[in-house]
Amino acid sequence: AQKITQTQPGMFVQEKEAVTLDCTYDTSDPSYGLFWYKQPSSGEMIFLIYQGSYDQQNATEGRYSLNFQKARKSANLVISASQLGDSAMYFCAMSAYSGNTPLVFGKGTRLSVIA
Amino acid sequence: GAGVSQTPSNKVTEKGKYVELRCDPISGHTALYWYRQSLGQGPEFLIYFQGTGAADDSGLPNDRFFAVRPEGSVSTLKIQRTERGDSAVYLCASSKDPRETQYFGPGTRLLVL
């Protein structure tokens, strides 16, 4: 079974600053994917970034980067140059590929960007 | 292109009634997933379709919940004899295949009075 832990219920960041949202995971599968989704108040889950367990380099997508530390089983999301529109819930999720398992989500972190 | 669409966006019903929630996935996506999100929680898996067949329905909470995808595209989640505890946001997602990124629809907010 897979498990995702997000220990920060809420985070504040000043506009234009960088922020790190923590995510640790647990799985016995050797092959898996890690994902981050953003959920604004409108409710839609927006895909941000993906990291495969065998990827050698950390994933980046624009202002988003994933700090993947396999030995520590962590997959932290780094948002650079925060914007007011980044205020939302952020969910870390994983899927184990051996059984094509569905996504398992953490409880989320609410990010508030302050002007 | 068009994303995942879900109808209705909101549904209010009375305890004991039957409801149907519809999901229209991204064109060409063979994998379709249903999740349920309760207030303050992350989404929880309900059922996964690969094509027309339910490949994994281990997340369905009980036999009041059922889902179909008869032609391998649109899916309907059906809830019989609704209970107040069924109130949640029901999210649908699709992907090109099971190992690809899942893209979510806007969800259906179900309120059972």
Short mmCIF file of all heavy atoms in Angstrom, two decimals, chain A residues 50-110:
data_model
loop_
_atom_site.label_atom_id
_atom_site.label_comp_id
_atom_site.label_asym_id
_atom_site.label_seq_id
_atom_site.Cartn_x
_atom_site.Cartn_y
_atom_site.Cartn_z
N TYR A 50 5.28 16.33 -12.33
CA TYR A 50 5.40 14.88 -12.17
C TYR A 50 6.88 14.49 -12.04
O TYR A 50 7.75 15.08 -12.70
CB TYR A 50 4.80 14.18 -13.39
CG TYR A 50 5.28 12.76 -13.59
CD1 TYR A 50 4.72 11.72 -12.86
CD2 TYR A 50 6.30 12.46 -14.50
CE1 TYR A 50 5.15 10.42 -13.04
CE2 TYR A 50 6.74 11.17 -14.67
CZ TYR A 50 6.15 10.15 -13.95
OH TYR A 50 6.58 8.85 -14.11
N GLN A 51 7.13 13.49 -11.18
CA GLN A 51 8.47 12.93 -11.03
C GLN A 51 8.38 11.41 -11.05
O GLN A 51 7.64 10.84 -10.25
CB GLN A 51 9.09 13.38 -9.70
CG GLN A 51 10.46 12.83 -9.42
CD GLN A 51 11.57 13.65 -10.03
OE1 GLN A 51 11.56 14.88 -10.00
NE2 GLN A 51 12.57 13.00 -10.58
N GLY A 52 9.10 10.77 -11.93
CA GLY A 52 9.15 9.31 -11.94
C GLY A 52 10.23 8.81 -11.01
O GLY A 52 11.26 9.47 -10.84
N SER A 53 10.03 7.64 -10.44
CA SER A 53 10.96 7.15 -9.43
C SER A 53 12.34 6.86 -10.00
O SER A 53 13.33 6.84 -9.26
CB SER A 53 10.40 5.88 -8.77
OG SER A 53 10.14 4.88 -9.73
N TYR A 54 12.43 6.62 -11.31
CA TYR A 54 13.73 6.33 -11.91
C TYR A 54 14.34 7.54 -12.61
O TYR A 54 15.41 7.44 -13.22
CB TYR A 54 13.59 5.16 -12.90
CG TYR A 54 13.36 3.84 -12.20
CD1 TYR A 54 12.16 3.16 -12.33
CD2 TYR A 54 14.35 3.29 -11.40
CE1 TYR A 54 11.96 1.96 -11.67
CE2 TYR A 54 14.16 2.08 -10.74
CZ TYR A 54 12.95 1.42 -10.88
OH TYR A 54 12.74 0.23 -10.23
N ASP A 55 13.65 8.68 -12.54
CA ASP A 55 14.20 9.89 -13.16
C ASP A 55 15.44 10.33 -12.39
O ASP A 55 15.41 10.43 -11.17
CB ASP A 55 13.16 11.01 -13.16
CG ASP A 55 11.99 10.71 -14.09
OD1 ASP A 55 12.14 9.81 -14.95
OD2 ASP A 55 10.95 11.36 -13.95
N GLN A 56 16.48 10.62 -13.15
CA GLN A 56 17.75 11.01 -12.52
C GLN A 56 17.74 12.47 -12.07
O GLN A 56 18.39 12.84 -11.10
CB GLN A 56 18.91 10.78 -13.49
CG GLN A 56 19.14 9.32 -13.84
CD GLN A 56 19.56 8.51 -12.64
OE1 GLN A 56 20.36 8.94 -11.83
NE2 GLN A 56 18.99 7.32 -12.50
N GLN A 57 17.01 13.28 -12.81
CA GLN A 57 17.00 14.70 -12.50
C GLN A 57 15.68 15.11 -11.87
O GLN A 57 14.64 14.52 -12.15
CB GLN A 57 17.20 15.50 -13.80
CG GLN A 57 18.47 15.17 -14.54
CD GLN A 57 19.09 16.40 -15.16
OE1 GLN A 57 18.48 17.46 -15.18
NE2 GLN A 57 20.30 16.28 -15.64
N ASN A 58 15.73 16.14 -11.02
CA ASN A 58 14.51 16.68 -10.44
C ASN A 58 13.68 17.35 -11.52
O ASN A 58 14.21 18.05 -12.39
CB ASN A 58 14.85 17.69 -9.34
CG ASN A 58 15.35 17.02 -8.08
OD1 ASN A 58 15.21 15.81 -7.90
ND2 ASN A 58 15.96 17.79 -7.20
N ALA A 59 12.35 17.15 -11.43
CA ALA A 59 11.46 17.73 -12.43
C ALA A 59 11.31 19.23 -12.20
O ALA A 59 11.32 19.71 -11.06
CB ALA A 59 10.10 17.06 -12.34
N THR A 60 11.16 19.97 -13.30
CA THR A 60 10.86 21.40 -13.22
C THR A 60 9.79 21.72 -14.26
O THR A 60 9.77 21.14 -15.35
CB THR A 60 12.11 22.28 -13.48
OG1 THR A 60 12.58 21.99 -14.80
CG2 THR A 60 13.21 22.00 -12.47
N GLU A 61 8.91 22.65 -13.88
CA GLU A 61 7.88 23.15 -14.79
C GLU A 61 7.67 24.62 -14.47
O GLU A 61 6.96 24.98 -13.53
CB GLU A 61 6.54 22.40 -14.59
CG GLU A 61 6.48 21.00 -15.12
CD GLU A 61 6.39 20.92 -16.63
OE1 GLU A 61 6.16 21.95 -17.28
OE2 GLU A 61 6.54 19.80 -17.16
N GLY A 62 8.32 25.47 -15.23
CA GLY A 62 8.18 26.90 -14.98
C GLY A 62 8.64 27.27 -13.58
O GLY A 62 9.79 27.02 -13.22
N ARG A 63 7.74 27.85 -12.77
CA ARG A 63 8.11 28.26 -11.41
C ARG A 63 8.07 27.11 -10.41
O ARG A 63 8.38 27.30 -9.23
CB ARG A 63 7.18 29.40 -10.95
CG ARG A 63 7.33 30.69 -11.74
CD ARG A 63 6.50 31.82 -11.12
NE ARG A 63 5.07 31.51 -11.13
CZ ARG A 63 4.36 31.28 -10.04
NH1 ARG A 63 4.94 31.29 -8.84
NH2 ARG A 63 3.06 31.03 -10.14
N TYR A 64 7.66 25.94 -10.87
CA TYR A 64 7.54 24.78 -9.98
C TYR A 64 8.73 23.85 -10.18
O TYR A 64 9.12 23.57 -11.30
CB TYR A 64 6.25 23.99 -10.26
CG TYR A 64 4.99 24.81 -10.19
CD1 TYR A 64 4.28 25.14 -11.33
CD2 TYR A 64 4.51 25.27 -8.97
CE1 TYR A 64 3.12 25.88 -11.28
CE2 TYR A 64 3.35 26.02 -8.89
CZ TYR A 64 2.67 26.33 -10.06
OH TYR A 64 1.52 27.07 -9.99
N SER A 65 9.27 23.37 -9.09
CA SER A 65 10.28 22.32 -9.16
C SER A 65 10.02 21.32 -8.05
O SER A 65 9.41 21.65 -7.03
CB SER A 65 11.70 22.90 -9.05
OG SER A 65 11.86 23.57 -7.82
N LEU A 66 10.42 20.10 -8.30
CA LEU A 66 10.18 19.02 -7.34
C LEU A 66 11.53 18.58 -6.80
O LEU A 66 12.38 18.12 -7.58
CB LEU A 66 9.44 17.86 -8.03
CG LEU A 66 8.68 16.90 -7.11
CD1 LEU A 66 7.51 16.27 -7.84
CD2 LEU A 66 9.62 15.83 -6.58
N ASN A 67 11.72 18.72 -5.52
CA ASN A 67 12.96 18.30 -4.86
C ASN A 67 12.81 16.85 -4.43
O ASN A 67 12.26 16.55 -3.37
CB ASN A 67 13.24 19.22 -3.65
CG ASN A 67 14.56 18.89 -3.01
OD1 ASN A 67 15.29 18.00 -3.45
ND2 ASN A 67 14.89 19.60 -1.94
N PHE A 68 13.29 15.95 -5.29
CA PHE A 68 13.09 14.51 -5.10
C PHE A 68 14.31 13.91 -4.40
O PHE A 68 15.43 13.96 -4.94
CB PHE A 68 12.87 13.84 -6.45
CG PHE A 68 12.66 12.36 -6.41
CD1 PHE A 68 11.81 11.77 -5.49
CD2 PHE A 68 13.30 11.52 -7.33
CE1 PHE A 68 11.60 10.40 -5.47
CE2 PHE A 68 13.11 10.15 -7.32
CZ PHE A 68 12.25 9.59 -6.38
N GLN A 69 14.09 13.37 -3.21
CA GLN A 69 15.17 12.70 -2.47
C GLN A 69 14.70 11.28 -2.19
O GLN A 69 13.98 11.03 -1.21
CB GLN A 69 15.49 13.46 -1.19
CG GLN A 69 16.01 14.87 -1.47
CD GLN A 69 16.53 15.54 -0.22
OE1 GLN A 69 17.21 14.94 0.59
NE2 GLN A 69 16.18 16.81 -0.07
N LYS A 70 15.11 10.38 -3.07
CA LYS A 70 14.58 9.01 -3.05
C LYS A 70 14.91 8.28 -1.76
O LYS A 70 14.08 7.56 -1.20
CB LYS A 70 15.12 8.24 -4.26
CG LYS A 70 14.38 6.96 -4.58
CD LYS A 70 14.84 6.42 -5.92
CE LYS A 70 14.06 5.17 -6.30
NZ LYS A 70 14.45 4.69 -7.64
N ALA A 71 16.13 8.44 -1.28
CA ALA A 71 16.55 7.74 -0.07
C ALA A 71 15.73 8.18 1.14
O ALA A 71 15.45 7.39 2.04
CB ALA A 71 18.03 7.96 0.18
N ARG A 72 15.33 9.43 1.15
CA ARG A 72 14.53 9.96 2.26
C ARG A 72 13.04 9.80 2.01
O ARG A 72 12.22 10.17 2.84
CB ARG A 72 14.84 11.44 2.47
CG ARG A 72 16.24 11.72 2.92
CD ARG A 72 16.40 13.18 3.27
NE ARG A 72 17.73 13.46 3.81
CZ ARG A 72 18.11 14.64 4.28
NH1 ARG A 72 17.26 15.65 4.29
NH2 ARG A 72 19.32 14.82 4.75
N LYS A 73 12.69 9.33 0.82
CA LYS A 73 11.29 9.21 0.40
C LYS A 73 10.56 10.53 0.56
O LYS A 73 9.49 10.62 1.19
CB LYS A 73 10.59 8.08 1.18
CG LYS A 73 11.12 6.69 0.83
CD LYS A 73 10.27 5.57 1.40
CE LYS A 73 10.76 4.22 0.88
NZ LYS A 73 9.97 3.10 1.42
N SER A 74 11.18 11.57 0.01
CA SER A 74 10.52 12.87 0.05
C SER A 74 10.43 13.45 -1.35
O SER A 74 11.28 13.18 -2.22
CB SER A 74 11.25 13.82 0.99
OG SER A 74 12.44 14.28 0.41
N ALA A 75 9.40 14.24 -1.57
CA ALA A 75 9.14 14.85 -2.89
C ALA A 75 8.56 16.23 -2.67
O ALA A 75 7.37 16.47 -2.91
CB ALA A 75 8.18 13.96 -3.68
N ASN A 76 9.38 17.13 -2.20
CA ASN A 76 8.90 18.46 -1.84
C ASN A 76 8.70 19.33 -3.08
O ASN A 76 9.49 19.28 -4.02
CB ASN A 76 9.88 19.14 -0.89
CG ASN A 76 10.03 18.39 0.42
OD1 ASN A 76 9.18 17.58 0.79
ND2 ASN A 76 11.13 18.64 1.10
N LEU A 77 7.67 20.15 -3.03
CA LEU A 77 7.38 21.09 -4.11
C LEU A 77 7.96 22.45 -3.76
O LEU A 77 7.72 22.96 -2.67
CB LEU A 77 5.87 21.22 -4.34
CG LEU A 77 5.44 22.25 -5.39
CD1 LEU A 77 5.81 21.74 -6.79
CD2 LEU A 77 3.94 22.52 -5.31
N VAL A 78 8.71 23.02 -4.68
CA VAL A 78 9.26 24.36 -4.50
C VAL A 78 8.58 25.29 -5.51
O VAL A 78 8.59 25.01 -6.71
CB VAL A 78 10.78 24.40 -4.68
CG1 VAL A 78 11.30 25.81 -4.48
CG2 VAL A 78 11.47 23.42 -3.73
N ILE A 79 7.99 26.35 -5.00
CA ILE A 79 7.39 27.37 -5.86
C ILE A 79 8.26 28.62 -5.74
O ILE A 79 8.44 29.16 -4.63
CB ILE A 79 5.94 27.70 -5.45
CG1 ILE A 79 5.08 26.44 -5.40
CG2 ILE A 79 5.34 28.72 -6.42
CD1 ILE A 79 3.67 26.67 -4.86
N SER A 80 8.80 29.06 -6.85
CA SER A 80 9.65 30.26 -6.82
C SER A 80 8.80 31.48 -7.18
O SER A 80 7.76 31.36 -7.83
CB SER A 80 10.80 30.10 -7.81
OG SER A 80 10.30 29.98 -9.11
N ALA A 81 9.25 32.64 -6.73
CA ALA A 81 8.60 33.92 -7.07
C ALA A 81 7.09 33.83 -6.90
O ALA A 81 6.33 34.01 -7.86
CB ALA A 81 8.97 34.33 -8.50
N SER A 82 6.64 33.56 -5.68
CA SER A 82 5.21 33.35 -5.41
C SER A 82 4.36 34.52 -5.89
O SER A 82 4.76 35.70 -5.81
CB SER A 82 4.99 33.16 -3.91
OG SER A 82 5.64 32.01 -3.44
N GLN A 83 3.18 34.17 -6.37
CA GLN A 83 2.21 35.17 -6.84
C GLN A 83 0.92 35.00 -6.05
O GLN A 83 0.63 33.93 -5.51
CB GLN A 83 1.93 34.94 -8.34
CG GLN A 83 3.16 35.02 -9.21
CD GLN A 83 2.89 34.61 -10.65
OE1 GLN A 83 1.78 34.18 -10.99
NE2 GLN A 83 3.89 34.74 -11.51
N LEU A 84 0.12 36.07 -6.01
CA LEU A 84 -1.13 36.02 -5.26
C LEU A 84 -2.02 34.88 -5.75
O LEU A 84 -2.74 34.23 -4.97
CB LEU A 84 -1.87 37.35 -5.36
CG LEU A 84 -1.17 38.54 -4.71
CD1 LEU A 84 -1.96 39.83 -4.95
CD2 LEU A 84 -0.94 38.33 -3.21
N GLY A 85 -1.96 34.60 -7.05
CA GLY A 85 -2.76 33.52 -7.64
C GLY A 85 -2.32 32.14 -7.23
O GLY A 85 -3.00 31.15 -7.55
N ASP A 86 -1.19 32.03 -6.54
CA ASP A 86 -0.73 30.72 -6.06
C ASP A 86 -1.46 30.29 -4.79
O ASP A 86 -1.32 29.15 -4.36
CB ASP A 86 0.78 30.75 -5.78
CG ASP A 86 1.61 30.95 -7.03
OD1 ASP A 86 1.13 30.61 -8.14
OD2 ASP A 86 2.74 31.45 -6.91
N SER A 87 -2.22 31.20 -4.19
CA SER A 87 -2.97 30.85 -2.98
C SER A 87 -3.99 29.76 -3.31
O SER A 87 -4.86 29.95 -4.17
CB SER A 87 -3.68 32.08 -2.42
OG SER A 87 -2.76 33.04 -1.96
N ALA A 88 -3.86 28.62 -2.65
CA ALA A 88 -4.70 27.45 -2.97
C ALA A 88 -4.31 26.30 -2.05
O ALA A 88 -3.37 26.42 -1.25
CB ALA A 88 -4.50 27.02 -4.42
N MET A 89 -5.04 25.18 -2.18
CA MET A 89 -4.63 23.93 -1.54
C MET A 89 -3.70 23.21 -2.50
O MET A 89 -3.93 23.20 -3.72
CB MET A 89 -5.83 23.04 -1.25
CG MET A 89 -6.66 23.46 -0.06
SD MET A 89 -5.81 23.21 1.50
CE MET A 89 -5.76 21.42 1.60
N TYR A 90 -2.67 22.58 -1.96
CA TYR A 90 -1.72 21.82 -2.76
C TYR A 90 -1.68 20.39 -2.25
O TYR A 90 -1.49 20.14 -1.06
CB TYR A 90 -0.33 22.44 -2.70
CG TYR A 90 -0.26 23.74 -3.47
CD1 TYR A 90 -0.71 24.92 -2.91
CD2 TYR A 90 0.25 23.77 -4.77
CE1 TYR A 90 -0.68 26.11 -3.63
CE2 TYR A 90 0.29 24.95 -5.49
CZ TYR A 90 -0.18 26.11 -4.92
OH TYR A 90 -0.14 27.29 -5.63
N PHE A 91 -1.85 19.45 -3.18
CA PHE A 91 -1.88 18.04 -2.82
C PHE A 91 -0.72 17.30 -3.49
O PHE A 91 -0.48 17.44 -4.69
CB PHE A 91 -3.19 17.38 -3.26
CG PHE A 91 -4.38 17.83 -2.48
CD1 PHE A 91 -5.18 18.86 -2.95
CD2 PHE A 91 -4.70 17.23 -1.27
CE1 PHE A 91 -6.30 19.27 -2.23
CE2 PHE A 91 -5.80 17.63 -0.55
CZ PHE A 91 -6.60 18.66 -1.02
N CYS A 92 -0.04 16.50 -2.69
CA CYS A 92 0.97 15.57 -3.18
C CYS A 92 0.28 14.22 -3.38
O CYS A 92 -0.61 13.84 -2.57
CB CYS A 92 2.09 15.46 -2.15
SG CYS A 92 3.43 14.34 -2.59
N ALA A 93 0.65 13.50 -4.42
CA ALA A 93 0.01 12.21 -4.69
C ALA A 93 1.03 11.27 -5.32
O ALA A 93 2.03 11.70 -5.88
CB ALA A 93 -1.18 12.39 -5.63
N MET A 94 0.75 9.98 -5.20
CA MET A 94 1.62 9.00 -5.86
C MET A 94 0.81 7.86 -6.44
O MET A 94 -0.33 7.60 -6.03
CB MET A 94 2.65 8.45 -4.86
CG MET A 94 2.13 7.46 -3.87
SD MET A 94 3.49 6.73 -2.91
CE MET A 94 4.43 5.95 -4.23
N SER A 95 1.44 7.19 -7.40
CA SER A 95 0.86 6.01 -8.01
C SER A 95 1.96 4.99 -8.20
O SER A 95 3.03 5.32 -8.71
CB SER A 95 0.25 6.37 -9.37
OG SER A 95 -0.22 5.22 -10.03
N ALA A 96 1.71 3.76 -7.74
CA ALA A 96 2.68 2.69 -7.93
C ALA A 96 2.40 2.01 -9.25
O ALA A 96 1.24 1.70 -9.56
CB ALA A 96 2.58 1.69 -6.77
N TYR A 97 3.42 1.75 -10.04
CA TYR A 97 3.20 1.30 -11.41
C TYR A 97 3.10 -0.21 -11.56
O TYR A 97 2.65 -0.71 -12.57
CB TYR A 97 4.30 1.83 -12.31
CG TYR A 97 4.21 3.33 -12.49
CD1 TYR A 97 5.37 4.09 -12.63
CD2 TYR A 97 2.98 3.98 -12.49
CE1 TYR A 97 5.29 5.46 -12.79
CE2 TYR A 97 2.91 5.35 -12.65
CZ TYR A 97 4.06 6.08 -12.80
OH TYR A 97 3.99 7.43 -12.95
N SER A 98 3.53 -0.95 -10.55
CA SER A 98 3.53 -2.40 -10.71
C SER A 98 2.12 -2.93 -10.90
O SER A 98 1.88 -3.86 -11.65
CB SER A 98 4.18 -3.07 -9.50
OG SER A 98 3.43 -2.77 -8.34
N GLY A 99 1.16 -2.32 -10.23
CA GLY A 99 -0.23 -2.77 -10.36
C GLY A 99 -1.13 -1.72 -10.96
O GLY A 99 -2.35 -1.83 -10.86
N ASN A 100 -0.51 -0.73 -11.60
CA ASN A 100 -1.30 0.38 -12.15
C ASN A 100 -2.28 0.91 -11.12
O ASN A 100 -3.48 1.03 -11.37
CB ASN A 100 -2.06 -0.06 -13.41
CG ASN A 100 -1.11 -0.29 -14.57
OD1 ASN A 100 -0.05 0.33 -14.63
ND2 ASN A 100 -1.47 -1.17 -15.46
N THR A 101 -1.76 1.23 -9.96
CA THR A 101 -2.62 1.66 -8.87
C THR A 101 -3.10 3.09 -9.11
O THR A 101 -2.42 3.87 -9.76
CB THR A 101 -1.89 1.59 -7.53
OG1 THR A 101 -0.72 2.41 -7.60
CG2 THR A 101 -1.47 0.17 -7.22
N PRO A 102 -4.27 3.42 -8.57
CA PRO A 102 -4.75 4.79 -8.71
C PRO A 102 -3.95 5.73 -7.81
O PRO A 102 -3.13 5.29 -7.02
CB PRO A 102 -6.20 4.69 -8.23
CG PRO A 102 -6.18 3.54 -7.27
CD PRO A 102 -5.18 2.57 -7.82
N LEU A 103 -4.21 7.00 -7.95
CA LEU A 103 -3.50 7.99 -7.15
C LEU A 103 -3.91 7.90 -5.69
O LEU A 103 -5.09 7.76 -5.35
CB LEU A 103 -3.81 9.41 -7.66
CG LEU A 103 -3.17 9.80 -8.98
CD1 LEU A 103 -3.71 11.16 -9.44
CD2 LEU A 103 -1.66 9.85 -8.87
N VAL A 104 -2.90 8.00 -4.83
CA VAL A 104 -3.12 8.14 -3.39
C VAL A 104 -2.68 9.54 -3.02
O VAL A 104 -1.55 9.94 -3.34
CB VAL A 104 -2.31 7.08 -2.61
CG1 VAL A 104 -2.42 7.35 -1.11
CG2 VAL A 104 -2.80 5.69 -2.94
N PHE A 105 -3.55 10.28 -2.35
CA PHE A 105 -3.29 11.68 -2.04
C PHE A 105 -2.97 11.88 -0.57
O PHE A 105 -3.42 11.13 0.30
CB PHE A 105 -4.53 12.53 -2.36
CG PHE A 105 -4.77 12.75 -3.81
CD1 PHE A 105 -5.44 11.81 -4.57
CD2 PHE A 105 -4.35 13.92 -4.43
CE1 PHE A 105 -5.67 12.01 -5.92
CE2 PHE A 105 -4.58 14.14 -5.78
CZ PHE A 105 -5.24 13.18 -6.53
N GLY A 106 -2.21 12.95 -0.30
CA GLY A 106 -2.05 13.41 1.06
C GLY A 106 -3.22 14.30 1.45
O GLY A 106 -4.15 14.49 0.66
N LYS A 107 -3.16 14.86 2.66
CA LYS A 107 -4.27 15.69 3.14
C LYS A 107 -4.18 17.12 2.65
O LYS A 107 -5.11 17.90 2.84
CB LYS A 107 -4.31 15.66 4.66
CG LYS A 107 -4.71 14.31 5.22
CD LYS A 107 -5.03 14.39 6.70
CE LYS A 107 -5.60 13.06 7.15
NZ LYS A 107 -6.07 13.10 8.54
N GLY A 108 -3.08 17.47 2.06
CA GLY A 108 -2.96 18.79 1.46
C GLY A 108 -2.34 19.84 2.38
O GLY A 108 -2.32 19.69 3.60
N THR A 109 -1.85 20.89 1.74
CA THR A 109 -1.31 22.07 2.44
C THR A 109 -1.98 23.29 1.85
O THR A 109 -2.01 23.46 0.63
CB THR A 109 0.21 22.19 2.25
OG1 THR A 109 0.85 21.07 2.87
CG2 THR A 109 0.74 23.49 2.86
N ARG A 110 -2.53 24.14 2.73
CA ARG A 110 -3.14 25.37 2.24
C ARG A 110 -2.07 26.47 2.22
O ARG A 110 -1.52 26.83 3.27
CB ARG A 110 -4.30 25.81 3.13
CG ARG A 110 -4.96 27.11 2.64
CD ARG A 110 -6.26 27.40 3.37
NE ARG A 110 -7.27 26.39 3.11
CZ ARG A 110 -8.01 26.31 2.00
NH1 ARG A 110 -7.82 27.19 1.03
NH2 ARG A 110 -8.93 25.38 1.87
#
